[in-house]
Amino acid sequence: ARDLPDEDPDAPTIFGWQAWVNKNDPYVQVFAYGTGGDDKLKVETTTIKEGTETPEWNEEFEFLDGDSNGPYDHFLFKLWDDDATFDEDGYMDWLNVNDPDYLGETREVKVSEISDTKDYFECELEVTRDGKG
């Protein structure tokens, strides 16, 4: 991913000194929509890439036509910035300020667009917010 919006504020600069510079901690939710209706949905989540403006995932997920969602029709990818202060059981999320920030999503990718994939499929998709790049 490139040119993601910066959702993590940096510390203010005081007398030319800045305590920290925040970068996004992006991850992707992969939504696979089955042909059996709106409730036929499988969601997978990538790992979080800490402190990067140019994340690459190169992760594999399996979507089988024979599972309970029926044959898959299309996919959608949503990008988020993880704002968790501590890991699970690490506490500190008491103010509920650590909800992930929405970075954008891709267009729907129809299964019919994916061809010749014996092992994996790779492509570059534009990420937009509210339909705007």
Side-chain angles (χ1 to χ4, degrees):
R2 292 180 272 126
D3 301 323
L4 296 174
D6 186 5
E7 288 294 334
D8 289 339
D10 297 334
T13 301
I14 302 172
F15 302 114
W17 180 79
Q18 190 171 33
W20 71 83
V21 175
N22 269 338
K23 292 186 178 180
N24 288 334
D25 303 312
Y27 65 94
V28 178
Q29 284 183 307
V30 181
F31 293 81
Y33 294 87
T35 56
D38 290 341
D39 64 333
K40 300 300 182 183
L41 174 68
K42 180 177 181 180
V43 181
E44 296 283 359
T45 304
T46 66
T47 56
I48 297 167
K49 300 298 181 182
E50 300 285 339
T52 181
E53 301 297 322
T54 55
E56 285 190 28
W57 285 275
N58 298 318
E59 296 182 27
E60 295 180 20
F61 300 103
E62 194 169 65
F63 301 95
L64 302 174
D65 281 344
D67 70 16
S68 62
N69 294 317
Y72 288 98
D73 179 65
H74 63 278
F75 297 91
L76 180 73
F77 303 86
K78 291 188 179 184
L79 283 77
W80 300 90
D81 171 33
D82 180 61
D83 285 335
T85 305
F86 296 111
D87 294 334
E88 288 187 26
D89 300 325
Y91 306 96
M92 180 80 175
D93 196 5
W94 40 269
L95 291 176
N96 201 25
V97 295
N98 297 321
D99 290 338
D101 297 314
Y102 176 73
L103 296 176
E105 62 188 63
T106 67
R107 65 172 176 80
E108 290 182 355
V109 177
K110 295 282 191 186
V111 170
S112 61
E113 295 177 55
I114 303 170
S115 62
D116 297 328
T117 59
K118 293 182 180 174
D119 295 320
Y120 64 92
F121 175 74
E122 177 181 325
C123 74
E124 188 171 311
L125 299 168
E126 182 180 8
V127 177
T128 63
R129 282 183 164 180
D130 302 324
K132 300 172 189 149

